[in-house]
Amino acid sequence: MLLSLVGIVAIVWLAATGRLGLYIHPRYFEFTVVMAVIAGVAVIAAFAVLPGVRDGDDGHGHGHDGDDGHGHDGHDHDGLADAEGHEATGSGTAPRRQLFWSVMTVLVIAGTAVALLVVPPQTLTTATVDQRDLNNSVAVANASETAQLVASDTAGFTVKDWASLMRQGAGEEYFADKTAEVTGFVTPDPQDPENVFYVARFVVTCCAVDAQPVGVPVYLPGWEETYPVDSWVTASGGFGPNPSTSSAQAIVLEPAELAPTDEPAEPYVY
Amino acid sequence: MVAAVLAAVLLVLRIVSSGWDTAVIPDRLSDFVTLSISVVIESLPFVFLGILLSVVVRFWVPDTVIHRLLPRRRVLRRAALSLLGVLLPVCECGNVPLARGLMMKGLSVPEAMTFLLAAPILNPVTIVTTYQAFGWDDGILVGRIVGGFVIANLVGWLFSLHPRPDDLLTPGFSAACKHEAAHAGHSHAAAGAGARRGLAGVFSPAGRAAQKVKLRGAVVAFSEETSAMLPALVVGSAIAGAIQVGLSRDILLALGSNPIWSVLALMILAFVIAICSNVDAFFILSFGGTFLPGGIVAFLVFGAMLDIKMVTLLRTTFTTATLVRLLIVVGLASLALGFGVNLLA
């Protein structure tokens, strides 16, 4: 019950402050908030009804036994021990078991409350980029979408659009006369971390769990002194062949301007 | 009252702490928290919806409706139940509370299991998103629908051979079912009386009193189900988040182009990534070029039925031994399905 309340308060607060987008795709916003509000009403009703039920109605007292039992069920290691725990009530081990599970329950609730309500909401960082291939085929647009991109105006292009064009091999002649302005966080190129970094974003399909990093490579030896990893920058400029010999990227952004910036309200792209 | 005060306290806590500096938290830990929270926030509304539906089924749908609508033959019954997802297009995490509600309503364990496995795949939302993502290409859509139906019914049939199906359930839940069944007679009489009087019954004093008792019971049931489900959801999400931070996807993706390994690799990916069946088609879509269709079908079938979060949720209801058997059967069947699609495509 307390967990529901924690979850509901967290969702409503995130939605009210416009930060739900850190966790889930905008298309789920309405559904999530509506369900949170409905569940909130039910939880408040339950808190109001429960004390009365506990004292009176014997039938539901039983239900509460079961309720404590669920604590077991959720985490127990085998059903046999569970059965013993239930039947051995009154013998010496039962209270200790019960104590153990109540401690576990408190820990789960406290952990959830800290994670959902105390830790400030954050975007994913470079630690996750390392776990997931940057610009792998999952994140970037497919061939037909890219073909559309080639034909369209580059003014509104995102990090994802540029990354797709590079991935699909739009070629040097395409990039020769283009200029781009992109905003993203700084993350090092795995092959040449000294000289090349990416202006990167996460692409989210459903929620942050499936986030895939995409990025536009920038060649700038010693970049890390000025632009720390995970800080946000806006880069603008043209494209050119990559001077780095070890990087896998053929084309890089040659920034005419490169300035630190604040994390945008919508840090992910969709 | 208590709840309102608590909610206010929690909200204040949230507002106060939101200004704190985050620099002290290491990146990995912060990503672990972000990922776990995103699984919780994504699943929570579906779980709430499932619990609400389950409570409605338990308290306001008369037993007779369920038993009259379902065919008597067990095979047909399970087949009909596996199509129930069409009526209730919720994500698989919402199906767990609903299946619990159905079992309390007297459905057998294998029947509930068939519903649990089939509903996430055989529902309009999943079918439409899968169609949008893949169209009719490579038999992925057909493979998912047919494969899901066959595997769910196979599992239902296998478990129906069990001599004492109650042993598949955790003792706590099994007792709750028996308790509910014992009470059903008495509350059923009241409900029947109310139903006979129809709408008028709702407004008559006796009918109103009955409704009030029912509503009270429903609220209690809601709180019991949330107490059972949410700890499991939180623990499952935390495990999923931890695996995401600890496990590099490159290895799994590298295995993807091999006809044998691609199926297995994608099934493992499906198990650890724990995303809802309504959206997984979009997620896997861009793998289309990298992976063989058999792997994708196995991902879409296996991942919809079981994943790390589902296993912790199911553990509230089924014993560990049951879940291990379930994992083995569904896993092997999905593997076979994946290889089959690879051979045909």
Short mmCIF file of all heavy atoms in Angstrom, two decimals, chain A residues 1 4 13-14 28 35 39 46 59 67 70 73 76-77 112 115-119 122 125 128 131-132 137-138 206 209-210 212 230, chain B residues 14 17 27-28 31 34 37-39 41-42 49 100 179 219 223 227 230 234 244-245 247-249 279 283 286-287 290 315 320:
data_model
loop_
_atom_site.label_atom_id
_atom_site.label_comp_id
_atom_site.label_asym_id
_atom_site.label_seq_id
_atom_site.Cartn_x
_atom_site.Cartn_y
_atom_site.Cartn_z
N MET A 1 0.84 -1.21 0.00
CA MET A 1 0.00 0.00 0.00
C MET A 1 0.86 1.25 0.00
O MET A 1 0.67 2.16 -0.79
CB MET A 1 -0.89 0.03 1.25
CG MET A 1 -1.94 -1.03 1.24
SD MET A 1 -3.04 -0.83 -0.15
CE MET A 1 -3.86 0.68 0.31
N SER A 4 2.45 1.68 -3.25
CA SER A 4 1.58 2.29 -4.27
C SER A 4 1.59 3.79 -4.11
O SER A 4 1.70 4.54 -5.08
CB SER A 4 0.14 1.81 -4.13
OG SER A 4 0.09 0.49 -3.73
N TRP A 13 4.09 13.81 -9.37
CA TRP A 13 5.05 14.90 -9.26
C TRP A 13 5.87 15.04 -10.54
O TRP A 13 6.07 16.13 -11.06
CB TRP A 13 5.98 14.68 -8.07
CG TRP A 13 6.99 15.76 -7.93
CD1 TRP A 13 6.80 17.00 -7.39
CD2 TRP A 13 8.35 15.72 -8.38
NE1 TRP A 13 7.97 17.71 -7.47
CE2 TRP A 13 8.93 16.97 -8.07
CE3 TRP A 13 9.13 14.74 -9.01
CZ2 TRP A 13 10.26 17.27 -8.36
CZ3 TRP A 13 10.45 15.05 -9.30
CH2 TRP A 13 11.01 16.29 -8.98
N LEU A 14 6.32 13.90 -11.08
CA LEU A 14 7.10 13.94 -12.32
C LEU A 14 6.28 14.55 -13.44
O LEU A 14 6.78 15.36 -14.22
CB LEU A 14 7.53 12.52 -12.71
CG LEU A 14 8.68 11.91 -11.92
CD1 LEU A 14 8.82 10.44 -12.27
CD2 LEU A 14 9.99 12.64 -12.21
N TYR A 28 2.92 7.63 -23.62
CA TYR A 28 2.30 6.96 -22.46
C TYR A 28 1.94 7.92 -21.34
O TYR A 28 1.42 7.51 -20.32
CB TYR A 28 3.24 5.89 -21.91
CG TYR A 28 3.59 4.86 -22.92
CD1 TYR A 28 4.85 4.79 -23.46
CD2 TYR A 28 2.61 3.99 -23.38
CE1 TYR A 28 5.16 3.87 -24.43
CE2 TYR A 28 2.90 3.06 -24.35
CZ TYR A 28 4.17 3.01 -24.87
OH TYR A 28 4.46 2.09 -25.84
N MET A 35 -4.05 6.45 -14.88
CA MET A 35 -4.04 5.27 -14.01
C MET A 35 -3.53 5.62 -12.62
O MET A 35 -4.02 5.10 -11.62
CB MET A 35 -3.18 4.15 -14.61
CG MET A 35 -3.79 3.40 -15.76
SD MET A 35 -5.52 2.99 -15.57
CE MET A 35 -5.46 1.88 -14.17
N ALA A 39 -5.71 4.96 -9.33
CA ALA A 39 -5.14 4.12 -8.27
C ALA A 39 -5.02 4.94 -6.99
O ALA A 39 -5.23 4.41 -5.89
CB ALA A 39 -3.79 3.57 -8.69
N ALA A 46 -8.83 2.77 0.35
CA ALA A 46 -8.40 1.58 1.10
C ALA A 46 -7.87 1.96 2.48
O ALA A 46 -8.17 1.32 3.47
CB ALA A 46 -7.34 0.83 0.31
N GLY A 59 -13.84 -12.43 8.74
CA GLY A 59 -13.49 -13.05 7.46
C GLY A 59 -12.29 -12.39 6.82
O GLY A 59 -11.43 -13.05 6.26
N ASP A 67 -2.02 -11.43 3.58
CA ASP A 67 -1.30 -10.22 3.20
C ASP A 67 0.15 -10.28 3.67
O ASP A 67 1.09 -10.05 2.92
CB ASP A 67 -2.00 -9.03 3.86
CG ASP A 67 -1.74 -7.75 3.09
OD1 ASP A 67 -0.85 -7.77 2.22
OD2 ASP A 67 -2.40 -6.79 3.36
N HIS A 70 2.14 -12.62 1.70
CA HIS A 70 2.63 -12.20 0.39
C HIS A 70 4.06 -11.71 0.48
O HIS A 70 4.82 -11.86 -0.44
CB HIS A 70 1.75 -11.07 -0.17
CG HIS A 70 0.39 -11.57 -0.53
ND1 HIS A 70 0.21 -12.73 -1.22
CD2 HIS A 70 -0.82 -11.06 -0.28
CE1 HIS A 70 -1.09 -12.93 -1.38
NE2 HIS A 70 -1.73 -11.92 -0.81
N ASP A 73 5.91 -14.65 -0.05
CA ASP A 73 5.77 -15.24 -1.38
C ASP A 73 6.61 -14.51 -2.41
O ASP A 73 7.17 -15.11 -3.29
CB ASP A 73 4.30 -15.20 -1.81
CG ASP A 73 3.46 -15.96 -0.82
OD1 ASP A 73 4.03 -16.72 -0.01
OD2 ASP A 73 2.24 -15.79 -0.82
N ASP A 76 10.51 -15.54 -1.37
CA ASP A 76 11.00 -16.78 -0.79
C ASP A 76 11.77 -17.59 -1.81
O ASP A 76 11.59 -17.45 -3.01
CB ASP A 76 9.83 -17.61 -0.27
CG ASP A 76 10.22 -18.28 1.02
OD1 ASP A 76 11.39 -18.68 1.14
OD2 ASP A 76 9.38 -18.39 1.89
N HIS A 77 12.65 -18.45 -1.28
CA HIS A 77 13.48 -19.17 -2.22
C HIS A 77 12.90 -20.49 -2.64
O HIS A 77 13.10 -20.93 -3.75
CB HIS A 77 14.87 -19.35 -1.65
CG HIS A 77 15.55 -18.03 -1.55
ND1 HIS A 77 15.88 -17.27 -2.65
CD2 HIS A 77 15.89 -17.30 -0.48
CE1 HIS A 77 16.42 -16.15 -2.27
NE2 HIS A 77 16.44 -16.14 -0.95
N THR A 112 12.67 1.90 -2.28
CA THR A 112 11.83 2.47 -3.33
C THR A 112 11.59 3.95 -3.08
O THR A 112 11.66 4.77 -4.00
CB THR A 112 10.47 1.75 -3.36
OG1 THR A 112 10.70 0.36 -3.29
CG2 THR A 112 9.72 2.09 -4.62
N ALA A 115 14.69 5.88 -3.92
CA ALA A 115 14.95 5.94 -5.35
C ALA A 115 13.94 6.82 -6.07
O ALA A 115 14.28 7.61 -6.95
CB ALA A 115 14.91 4.53 -5.94
N LEU A 116 12.66 6.69 -5.68
CA LEU A 116 11.62 7.41 -6.42
C LEU A 116 11.44 8.83 -5.93
O LEU A 116 11.05 9.72 -6.68
CB LEU A 116 10.29 6.67 -6.30
CG LEU A 116 10.07 5.52 -7.28
CD1 LEU A 116 8.85 4.73 -6.91
CD2 LEU A 116 9.92 6.05 -8.69
N LEU A 117 11.69 9.07 -4.63
CA LEU A 117 11.30 10.37 -4.08
C LEU A 117 12.46 11.21 -3.60
O LEU A 117 12.33 12.43 -3.49
CB LEU A 117 10.32 10.16 -2.91
CG LEU A 117 8.98 9.54 -3.31
CD1 LEU A 117 8.13 9.26 -2.10
CD2 LEU A 117 8.25 10.45 -4.27
N VAL A 118 13.59 10.62 -3.28
CA VAL A 118 14.68 11.43 -2.74
C VAL A 118 15.73 11.74 -3.79
O VAL A 118 16.14 12.88 -3.96
CB VAL A 118 15.32 10.74 -1.51
CG1 VAL A 118 16.46 11.60 -0.98
CG2 VAL A 118 14.29 10.51 -0.43
N VAL A 119 16.14 10.70 -4.54
CA VAL A 119 17.14 10.94 -5.57
C VAL A 119 16.53 11.81 -6.66
O VAL A 119 15.47 11.49 -7.19
CB VAL A 119 17.60 9.60 -6.18
CG1 VAL A 119 18.61 9.83 -7.28
CG2 VAL A 119 18.19 8.72 -5.10
N GLN A 122 17.24 11.93 -13.07
CA GLN A 122 18.39 12.22 -13.92
C GLN A 122 18.28 11.49 -15.23
O GLN A 122 17.61 10.48 -15.34
CB GLN A 122 19.66 11.72 -13.23
CG GLN A 122 20.08 12.60 -12.09
CD GLN A 122 21.28 12.00 -11.42
OE1 GLN A 122 22.40 12.15 -11.89
NE2 GLN A 122 21.05 11.29 -10.34
N THR A 125 23.66 8.30 -18.38
CA THR A 125 24.97 8.89 -18.58
C THR A 125 25.83 8.04 -19.50
O THR A 125 25.39 7.02 -20.03
CB THR A 125 25.72 9.00 -17.24
OG1 THR A 125 25.94 7.68 -16.78
CG2 THR A 125 24.90 9.76 -16.22
N THR A 128 26.06 4.21 -19.40
CA THR A 128 25.15 3.39 -20.19
C THR A 128 25.55 3.37 -21.67
O THR A 128 25.35 2.38 -22.35
CB THR A 128 23.71 3.88 -20.01
OG1 THR A 128 23.38 3.77 -18.64
CG2 THR A 128 22.73 3.08 -20.83
N GLN A 131 27.71 0.54 -22.33
CA GLN A 131 27.06 -0.77 -22.37
C GLN A 131 26.34 -1.00 -23.69
O GLN A 131 26.02 -2.13 -24.02
CB GLN A 131 26.02 -0.88 -21.24
CG GLN A 131 26.61 -0.79 -19.86
CD GLN A 131 27.55 -1.93 -19.59
OE1 GLN A 131 27.23 -3.07 -19.88
NE2 GLN A 131 28.72 -1.64 -19.07
N ARG A 132 26.05 0.05 -24.39
CA ARG A 132 25.23 -0.10 -25.59
C ARG A 132 25.97 0.56 -26.74
O ARG A 132 26.37 1.69 -26.64
CB ARG A 132 23.88 0.60 -25.39
CG ARG A 132 23.18 0.06 -24.18
CD ARG A 132 21.98 0.85 -23.81
NE ARG A 132 21.44 0.30 -22.57
CZ ARG A 132 20.23 0.49 -22.13
NH1 ARG A 132 19.40 1.23 -22.81
NH2 ARG A 132 19.84 -0.04 -21.01
N SER A 137 22.44 -0.16 -35.21
CA SER A 137 21.31 -0.04 -36.14
C SER A 137 19.98 0.11 -35.42
O SER A 137 18.99 0.54 -36.00
CB SER A 137 21.26 -1.28 -37.03
OG SER A 137 21.13 -2.42 -36.21
N VAL A 138 19.93 -0.25 -34.15
CA VAL A 138 18.67 -0.16 -33.42
C VAL A 138 18.14 1.26 -33.41
O VAL A 138 16.96 1.51 -33.61
CB VAL A 138 18.86 -0.62 -31.97
CG1 VAL A 138 17.56 -0.50 -31.22
CG2 VAL A 138 19.37 -2.02 -31.94
N CYS A 206 10.30 3.32 -25.85
CA CYS A 206 9.18 3.06 -24.96
C CYS A 206 9.48 3.68 -23.60
O CYS A 206 8.76 4.51 -23.12
CB CYS A 206 8.99 1.55 -24.83
SG CYS A 206 8.06 1.06 -23.40
N VAL A 209 14.62 2.17 -20.37
CA VAL A 209 15.29 0.88 -20.41
C VAL A 209 15.77 0.55 -21.82
O VAL A 209 16.83 -0.04 -22.01
CB VAL A 209 14.34 -0.24 -19.91
CG1 VAL A 209 14.86 -1.60 -20.28
CG2 VAL A 209 14.23 -0.15 -18.42
N ASP A 210 15.00 0.96 -22.83
CA ASP A 210 15.41 0.62 -24.19
C ASP A 210 16.19 1.75 -24.86
O ASP A 210 16.40 1.74 -26.06
CB ASP A 210 14.19 0.22 -25.03
CG ASP A 210 13.15 1.31 -25.08
OD1 ASP A 210 13.52 2.44 -25.43
OD2 ASP A 210 11.98 1.04 -24.79
N GLN A 212 18.74 3.95 -26.62
CA GLN A 212 19.91 3.65 -27.42
C GLN A 212 20.64 4.95 -27.71
O GLN A 212 20.03 5.92 -28.13
CB GLN A 212 19.49 3.02 -28.75
CG GLN A 212 18.88 1.65 -28.61
CD GLN A 212 19.90 0.62 -28.20
OE1 GLN A 212 21.09 0.77 -28.45
NE2 GLN A 212 19.45 -0.44 -27.56
N ASP A 230 29.77 13.83 -20.25
CA ASP A 230 28.40 13.98 -19.74
C ASP A 230 27.93 15.42 -19.59
O ASP A 230 26.80 15.65 -19.18
CB ASP A 230 28.20 13.26 -18.39
CG ASP A 230 28.03 11.77 -18.58
OD1 ASP A 230 27.56 11.37 -19.66
OD2 ASP A 230 28.38 11.02 -17.65
N ARG B 14 9.61 14.90 -1.73
CA ARG B 14 10.03 14.94 -3.12
C ARG B 14 10.44 16.35 -3.55
O ARG B 14 11.46 16.57 -4.18
CB ARG B 14 8.89 14.41 -4.00
CG ARG B 14 9.06 14.54 -5.47
CD ARG B 14 10.03 13.55 -6.03
NE ARG B 14 11.44 13.98 -5.88
CZ ARG B 14 12.43 13.36 -6.48
NH1 ARG B 14 12.22 12.30 -7.21
NH2 ARG B 14 13.67 13.80 -6.34
N SER B 17 13.71 17.48 -1.81
CA SER B 17 14.93 16.81 -2.22
C SER B 17 15.28 17.07 -3.68
O SER B 17 16.40 16.80 -4.11
CB SER B 17 14.80 15.30 -2.01
OG SER B 17 13.78 14.80 -2.84
N ASP B 27 28.04 7.51 -11.67
CA ASP B 27 27.22 7.36 -12.88
C ASP B 27 26.50 6.01 -12.96
O ASP B 27 25.32 5.95 -13.28
CB ASP B 27 28.13 7.47 -14.11
CG ASP B 27 28.44 8.92 -14.41
OD1 ASP B 27 27.90 9.78 -13.69
OD2 ASP B 27 29.20 9.19 -15.34
N ARG B 28 27.24 4.97 -12.67
CA ARG B 28 26.64 3.63 -12.79
C ARG B 28 25.42 3.51 -11.90
O ARG B 28 24.38 3.03 -12.31
CB ARG B 28 27.65 2.57 -12.34
CG ARG B 28 28.69 2.30 -13.35
CD ARG B 28 28.44 0.99 -14.00
NE ARG B 28 29.11 1.02 -15.29
CZ ARG B 28 29.75 0.01 -15.82
NH1 ARG B 28 29.77 -1.13 -15.19
NH2 ARG B 28 30.31 0.12 -16.97
N ASP B 31 22.57 5.54 -13.16
CA ASP B 31 21.91 4.91 -14.29
C ASP B 31 21.08 3.72 -13.86
O ASP B 31 19.99 3.47 -14.38
CB ASP B 31 22.94 4.46 -15.33
CG ASP B 31 23.44 5.62 -16.16
OD1 ASP B 31 22.99 6.75 -15.88
OD2 ASP B 31 24.25 5.42 -17.07
N THR B 34 17.94 5.16 -12.51
CA THR B 34 17.10 5.67 -13.60
C THR B 34 16.44 4.53 -14.36
O THR B 34 15.24 4.57 -14.65
CB THR B 34 17.94 6.52 -14.57
OG1 THR B 34 18.59 7.55 -13.84
CG2 THR B 34 17.08 7.13 -15.64
N ILE B 37 13.78 2.74 -12.21
CA ILE B 37 12.58 3.57 -12.07
C ILE B 37 11.79 3.58 -13.36
O ILE B 37 10.56 3.53 -13.36
CB ILE B 37 12.97 5.02 -11.68
CG1 ILE B 37 13.53 5.03 -10.27
CG2 ILE B 37 11.77 5.94 -11.78
CD1 ILE B 37 13.97 6.40 -9.83
N SER B 38 12.49 3.60 -14.49
CA SER B 38 11.75 3.65 -15.74
C SER B 38 10.94 2.38 -15.94
O SER B 38 9.83 2.42 -16.47
CB SER B 38 12.67 3.96 -16.91
OG SER B 38 13.16 2.78 -17.47
N VAL B 39 11.48 1.23 -15.49
CA VAL B 39 10.69 -0.01 -15.59
C VAL B 39 9.48 0.08 -14.66
O VAL B 39 8.35 -0.26 -15.04
CB VAL B 39 11.53 -1.26 -15.23
CG1 VAL B 39 10.69 -2.51 -15.34
CG2 VAL B 39 12.73 -1.36 -16.14
N ILE B 41 7.92 2.79 -13.53
CA ILE B 41 6.93 3.78 -13.98
C ILE B 41 6.21 3.30 -15.23
O ILE B 41 5.02 3.54 -15.42
CB ILE B 41 7.60 5.15 -14.20
CG1 ILE B 41 8.01 5.70 -12.84
CG2 ILE B 41 6.67 6.11 -14.91
CD1 ILE B 41 8.49 7.11 -12.86
N GLU B 42 6.93 2.57 -16.07
CA GLU B 42 6.29 2.05 -17.27
C GLU B 42 5.26 0.98 -16.91
O GLU B 42 4.19 0.91 -17.51
CB GLU B 42 7.36 1.46 -18.20
CG GLU B 42 6.81 1.00 -19.52
CD GLU B 42 7.43 -0.31 -19.96
OE1 GLU B 42 8.32 -0.82 -19.27
OE2 GLU B 42 6.98 -0.82 -21.00
N LEU B 49 -4.08 -1.14 -13.62
CA LEU B 49 -5.21 -1.49 -14.47
C LEU B 49 -5.58 -2.95 -14.30
O LEU B 49 -6.76 -3.30 -14.16
CB LEU B 49 -4.86 -1.19 -15.94
CG LEU B 49 -5.96 -1.45 -16.96
CD1 LEU B 49 -7.15 -0.55 -16.69
CD2 LEU B 49 -5.47 -1.22 -18.37
N ARG B 100 -4.85 -13.90 -11.14
CA ARG B 100 -5.13 -14.23 -9.74
C ARG B 100 -6.62 -14.09 -9.45
O ARG B 100 -7.23 -14.93 -8.80
CB ARG B 100 -4.34 -13.32 -8.81
CG ARG B 100 -2.86 -13.63 -8.78
CD ARG B 100 -2.08 -12.47 -8.19
NE ARG B 100 -2.41 -12.18 -6.80
CZ ARG B 100 -1.76 -12.68 -5.76
NH1 ARG B 100 -0.76 -13.51 -5.96
NH2 ARG B 100 -2.11 -12.35 -4.53
N HIS B 179 -10.38 -19.91 0.52
CA HIS B 179 -11.15 -19.01 1.36
C HIS B 179 -12.21 -18.30 0.54
O HIS B 179 -13.37 -18.20 0.91
CB HIS B 179 -10.18 -18.01 1.99
CG HIS B 179 -10.84 -17.03 2.89
ND1 HIS B 179 -10.94 -15.70 2.60
CD2 HIS B 179 -11.45 -17.19 4.08
CE1 HIS B 179 -11.58 -15.08 3.56
NE2 HIS B 179 -11.90 -15.96 4.48
N VAL B 219 -12.43 -2.74 -2.14
CA VAL B 219 -11.32 -1.87 -1.75
C VAL B 219 -10.27 -2.67 -0.99
O VAL B 219 -9.07 -2.53 -1.21
CB VAL B 219 -11.83 -0.68 -0.91
CG1 VAL B 219 -10.68 0.05 -0.26
CG2 VAL B 219 -12.63 0.26 -1.79
N SER B 223 -6.36 -3.40 -2.04
CA SER B 223 -5.17 -3.16 -1.22
C SER B 223 -4.36 -4.44 -1.05
O SER B 223 -3.13 -4.41 -1.05
CB SER B 223 -5.56 -2.57 0.13
OG SER B 223 -6.07 -3.59 0.97
N SER B 227 -0.54 -4.90 -2.32
CA SER B 227 0.52 -5.31 -1.38
C SER B 227 1.26 -6.52 -1.89
O SER B 227 2.43 -6.71 -1.60
CB SER B 227 -0.06 -5.66 0.00
OG SER B 227 -0.99 -4.72 0.39
N LEU B 230 3.18 -5.08 -5.74
CA LEU B 230 4.16 -4.00 -5.86
C LEU B 230 5.56 -4.37 -5.36
O LEU B 230 6.53 -4.04 -6.02
CB LEU B 230 3.65 -2.73 -5.20
CG LEU B 230 2.59 -2.07 -6.08
CD1 LEU B 230 1.96 -0.89 -5.38
CD2 LEU B 230 3.18 -1.63 -7.39
N VAL B 234 8.75 -4.07 -7.76
CA VAL B 234 9.92 -3.25 -7.44
C VAL B 234 11.19 -4.10 -7.48
O VAL B 234 12.19 -3.71 -8.09
CB VAL B 234 9.74 -2.61 -6.04
CG1 VAL B 234 11.05 -2.02 -5.55
CG2 VAL B 234 8.67 -1.55 -6.11
N GLN B 244 20.85 -4.55 -16.71
CA GLN B 244 21.08 -3.60 -17.80
C GLN B 244 22.40 -2.87 -17.63
O GLN B 244 23.11 -2.61 -18.58
CB GLN B 244 19.97 -2.55 -17.81
CG GLN B 244 18.62 -3.09 -18.11
CD GLN B 244 18.40 -3.20 -19.58
OE1 GLN B 244 18.81 -2.33 -20.32
NE2 GLN B 244 17.79 -4.27 -20.00
N VAL B 245 22.70 -2.50 -16.37
CA VAL B 245 23.93 -1.74 -16.13
C VAL B 245 25.13 -2.67 -16.22
O VAL B 245 26.19 -2.28 -16.72
CB VAL B 245 23.86 -1.05 -14.75
CG1 VAL B 245 25.18 -0.35 -14.45
CG2 VAL B 245 22.73 -0.05 -14.74
N LEU B 247 25.44 -5.76 -17.80
CA LEU B 247 25.64 -6.64 -18.95
C LEU B 247 25.80 -5.81 -20.23
O LEU B 247 24.96 -4.98 -20.54
CB LEU B 247 24.43 -7.57 -19.09
CG LEU B 247 24.43 -8.54 -20.25
CD1 LEU B 247 25.02 -9.86 -19.84
CD2 LEU B 247 23.02 -8.75 -20.74
N SER B 248 26.86 -6.07 -20.94
CA SER B 248 27.05 -5.36 -22.20
C SER B 248 26.23 -6.03 -23.28
O SER B 248 26.23 -7.24 -23.41
CB SER B 248 28.52 -5.37 -22.57
OG SER B 248 28.67 -4.83 -23.85
N ARG B 249 25.54 -5.21 -24.06
CA ARG B 249 24.69 -5.79 -25.10
C ARG B 249 25.47 -6.24 -26.31
O ARG B 249 24.97 -7.01 -27.11
CB ARG B 249 23.66 -4.76 -25.55
CG ARG B 249 22.49 -4.71 -24.62
CD ARG B 249 21.41 -3.89 -25.24
NE ARG B 249 20.54 -3.41 -24.20
CZ ARG B 249 19.70 -2.44 -24.35
NH1 ARG B 249 19.63 -1.80 -25.49
NH2 ARG B 249 18.93 -2.06 -23.37
N VAL B 279 4.76 -2.97 -26.87
CA VAL B 279 5.70 -2.07 -27.53
C VAL B 279 6.98 -2.76 -28.00
O VAL B 279 7.79 -2.15 -28.68
CB VAL B 279 6.09 -0.91 -26.59
CG1 VAL B 279 4.91 0.01 -26.40
CG2 VAL B 279 6.57 -1.42 -25.27
N PHE B 283 10.64 -1.95 -30.56
CA PHE B 283 12.01 -2.01 -30.05
C PHE B 283 12.87 -2.93 -30.93
O PHE B 283 13.99 -2.59 -31.28
CB PHE B 283 12.00 -2.52 -28.61
CG PHE B 283 13.38 -2.77 -28.09
CD1 PHE B 283 14.20 -1.71 -27.76
CD2 PHE B 283 13.87 -4.05 -27.98
CE1 PHE B 283 15.49 -1.94 -27.30
CE2 PHE B 283 15.15 -4.28 -27.52
CZ PHE B 283 15.96 -3.22 -27.18
N SER B 286 14.24 -2.41 -35.47
CA SER B 286 15.46 -2.00 -36.16
C SER B 286 16.52 -3.08 -36.12
O SER B 286 17.53 -2.97 -36.81
CB SER B 286 15.98 -0.69 -35.60
OG SER B 286 15.14 -0.22 -34.61
N PHE B 287 16.28 -4.16 -35.33
CA PHE B 287 17.18 -5.30 -35.41
C PHE B 287 16.96 -6.06 -36.70
O PHE B 287 17.74 -6.94 -37.03
CB PHE B 287 16.94 -6.27 -34.24
CG PHE B 287 17.53 -5.81 -32.94
CD1 PHE B 287 16.73 -5.27 -31.96
CD2 PHE B 287 18.88 -5.93 -32.71
CE1 PHE B 287 17.28 -4.86 -30.76
CE2 PHE B 287 19.43 -5.52 -31.51
CZ PHE B 287 18.62 -4.98 -30.54
N THR B 290 19.83 -6.92 -38.73
CA THR B 290 20.91 -7.64 -38.07
C THR B 290 20.54 -9.09 -37.79
O THR B 290 21.35 -9.98 -37.92
CB THR B 290 21.23 -6.99 -36.72
OG1 THR B 290 20.87 -5.62 -36.78
CG2 THR B 290 22.68 -7.15 -36.37
N ARG B 315 6.04 -15.13 -9.02
CA ARG B 315 6.45 -15.81 -7.80
C ARG B 315 5.48 -15.51 -6.65
O ARG B 315 5.42 -16.25 -5.67
CB ARG B 315 7.88 -15.39 -7.45
CG ARG B 315 8.51 -16.12 -6.28
CD ARG B 315 8.59 -17.62 -6.53
NE ARG B 315 9.02 -18.31 -5.31
CZ ARG B 315 8.22 -18.60 -4.31
NH1 ARG B 315 6.95 -18.29 -4.39
NH2 ARG B 315 8.67 -19.18 -3.23
N THR B 320 8.33 -21.81 -6.86
CA THR B 320 9.55 -21.73 -7.67
C THR B 320 9.65 -22.92 -8.62
O THR B 320 10.01 -22.76 -9.79
CB THR B 320 10.78 -21.71 -6.77
OG1 THR B 320 10.60 -20.68 -5.80
CG2 THR B 320 12.04 -21.42 -7.56
#
